[in-house]
Amino acid sequence: MGRGSLRKLIGGGAMASDSDRDVFSISGPFHLTSIDWTNSYHRTSVASSLVNGVYTMERDKQEKRVGSESQAMPWWDFFNFSLVETLIDDYDGSIYGAVFEYKLSNLCQNTSHVKAPPRYVIAFRGTILESETWMTDVKHNLKFSFNTLHEGGRSLQAIRAIRNMVEKHNHSAIWLAGHSLGAALVLLAGKTMTSFGFLLESYIFNPPISCIPLEQLPGGKKIKGVFQFTKTVVKATVAMVLTDLQVQEDDPKTASWIPYLYVNPEDPICAGYIDYFKHKTFMSKIGASKIEKAGAGKSVRSLLMGKSSSSDLSTEPLHLLPSADMIVNKNKPTKSMTAHGLHQWWERDSAMRENWESCCIRPYYEDKLQQLTIE
């Protein structure tokens, strides 16, 4: 696969060949002149725009767009945010993240909003397949695939920056947001902060998943269920043998973190989340939720290596989530709106947004799980 093909697949906000995608007044959600923070679509649009601002900052740097030629600032300034800090990769010097502050937060402190705006948003871009960034970004994608993202210098730096913000400010006023590789960073950071008791509101766009999207393979619908069921039973058997046949319940801390997860079934990078949560539902229906719990709690790799600590993030794939609010965009991709693209999440056409489907995923309590209706 050539770099151009990879760019189309991976670079949701990173298609530098189309310069209009960086121009907020052309491609951004400029129709949102007033933000209702209780409106989930408004919050989604703001969070995804801030992530795109990080993409655009890096492309401004790479394309030497400065002063009036730079395109990044409107992506946050339009929503009354200011740039507080940029997160720079120590290896290639690229901008991979940023901290934004809401300039009107003081005006909202004494209001009775059901959903208050954030004071800070920490946003992370995904992969940019250009000469200055592709090698480091692909390396971090490989780390995710091998479940070693937590060992990367970028990941450690990002979590350190988030912890610093949490120590200085109320964690309930801090949001995380990321797309693609940046979404993987948010998953890692969100789980890490949850383990310390901090539940950060998180917007996770097109996150990668470390499994094969079976439904997109020839005959996938027929073999998918059998494969998933068999894999779960085998993993559960090994896990229960290694833990004296005891099945651990969902960690209340982890289950309390409910990130917003944005996926598209046509996107092979994140489509597996739909199957993952549907499988949890199926196992509950047939009374096999305990088997599913035991099988889902560990990766095959961690079981073979004999790692058993449930609190160690290195023992489980990042996509294992007991709770999530998942939004599925069932619109077919177009030339201007790819299935992995970040721009789809501030869709201006209300008719197109009717094809978004919300699914609330919650832990097993008394062997019950909310049902998914994704076809």
Side-chain angles (χ1 to χ4, degrees):
M1 182 182 290
R3 195 180 299 176
S5 299
L6 279 171
R7 183 178 293 114
K8 290 180 181 179
L9 178 63
I10 298 177
M15 296 174 65
S17 60
D18 187 353
S19 59
D20 285 349
R21 293 175 71 83
D22 286 344
V23 182
F24 182 85
S25 60
I26 297 176
S27 300
F30 49 81
H31 61 295
L32 294 179
T33 55
S34 178
I35 298 300
D36 176 5
W37 293 101
T38 67
N39 185 305
S40 61
Y41 167 67
H42 288 201
R43 298 196 307 273
T44 296
S45 298
V46 172
S48 54
S49 293
L50 295 179
V51 174
N52 203 64
V54 181
Y55 272 115
T56 309
M57 274 195 288
E58 174 56 28
R59 286 198 291 272
D60 277 349
K61 183 171 74 70
Q62 291 193 20
E63 298 176 23
K64 297 179 172 56
R65 299 187 305 221
V66 296
S68 61
E69 294 183 356
S70 63
Q71 303 290 349
M73 181 177 287
W75 290 96
W76 60 82
D77 188 63
F78 183 84
F79 300 110
N80 292 302
F81 281 85
S82 59
L83 177 63
V84 175
E85 180 184 359
T86 54
L87 302 177
I88 310 296
D89 190 284
D90 291 334
Y91 184 80
D92 64 6
S94 67
I95 300 170
Y96 71 88
V99 180
F100 300 100
E101 182 178 12
Y102 186 51
K103 292 184 285 189
L104 305 181
S105 59
N106 290 336
L107 300 178
C108 303
Q109 288 181 351
N110 299 319
T111 61
S112 56
H113 286 309
V114 176
K115 193 77 174 179
R119 182 175 179 184
Y120 295 97
V121 178
I122 307 172
F124 302 96
R125 67 165 175 84
T127 304
I128 295 182
L129 292 173
E130 298 298 338
S131 58
E132 297 182 25
T133 48
W134 77 268
M135 185 177 295
T136 305
D137 286 357
V138 168
K139 180 184 74 173
H140 282 88
N141 279 291
L142 290 174
K143 282 182 175 292
F144 173 84
S145 299
F146 288 98
N147 201 37
T148 58
L149 185 63
H150 59 284
E151 298 174 358
R154 181 183 294 185
S155 303
L156 295 174
Q157 182 190 44
I159 292 174
R160 185 163 56 248
I162 293 168
R163 290 198 65 173
N164 288 339
M165 292 297 295
V166 169
E167 289 172 0
K168 295 177 183 177
H169 308 284
N170 187 340
H171 71 275
S172 64
I174 298 172
W175 288 7
L176 303 181
H179 174 249
S180 194
L181 176 59
L185 276 178
V186 174
L187 280 170
L188 175 63
K191 284 189 168 187
T192 301
M193 298 310 298
T194 297
S195 68
F196 293 110
F198 301 111
L199 306 178
L200 302 184
E201 187 161 327
S202 301
Y203 294 79
I204 302 175
F205 302 99
N206 299 83
I209 185 169
S210 53
C211 68
I212 301 171
L214 296 174
E215 196 167 87
Q216 298 190 7
L217 298 177
K221 290 185 178 180
K222 296 180 180 179
I223 67 172
K224 179 183 63 179
V226 174
F227 176 83
Q228 288 182 325
F229 182 83
T230 303
K231 182 179 72 171
T232 297
V233 171
V234 171
K235 286 172 62 181
T237 302
V238 175
M240 287 190 288
V241 167
L242 294 179
T243 56
D244 298 326
L245 300 179
Q246 293 181 359
V247 180
Q248 295 182 342
E249 296 297 320
D250 292 313
D251 183 352
K253 281 186 181 179
T254 304
S256 297
W257 183 52
I258 308 174
Y260 295 99
L261 207 65
Y262 298 83
V263 301
N264 189 313
E266 300 293 324
D267 176 13
I269 291 176
C270 69
Y273 282 91
I274 300 172
D275 292 337
Y276 165 68
F277 287 120
K278 287 178 68 175
H279 179 60
K280 290 172 74 74
T281 303
F282 169 75
M283 295 297 281
S284 179
K285 280 183 177 180
I286 65 173
S289 59
K290 289 188 177 181
I291 294 176
E292 195 279 330
K293 287 181 195 177
K298 301 293 177 186
S299 66
V300 174
R301 175 175 172 270
S302 67
L303 289 172
L304 293 176
M305 294 179 67
K307 298 179 179 180
S308 59
S309 173
S310 61
S311 61
D312 185 354
L313 288 176
S314 66
T315 67
E316 66 174 35
L318 287 177
H319 72 262
L320 297 182
L321 293 168
S323 307
D325 282 343
M326 186 167 66
I327 296 86
V328 181
N329 186 347
K330 302 178 79 172
N331 291 307
K332 298 295 183 181
T334 63
K335 289 183 179 180
S336 62
M337 200 77 73
T338 64
H340 190 65
L342 180 59
H343 286 58
Q344 68 184 295
W345 301 115
W346 60 75
E347 173 63 68
R348 294 192 294 268
D349 187 342
S350 59
M352 297 290 281
R353 296 200 302 270
E354 291 295 321
N355 292 324
W356 292 11
E357 186 172 83
S358 297
C359 309
C360 297
I361 316 300
R362 298 295 182 268
Y364 299 95
Y365 291 119
E366 299 179 357
D367 221 22
K368 294 178 181 179
L369 181 70
Q370 288 198 351
Q371 304 299 308
L372 296 180
T373 59
I374 304 169
E375 298 298 335

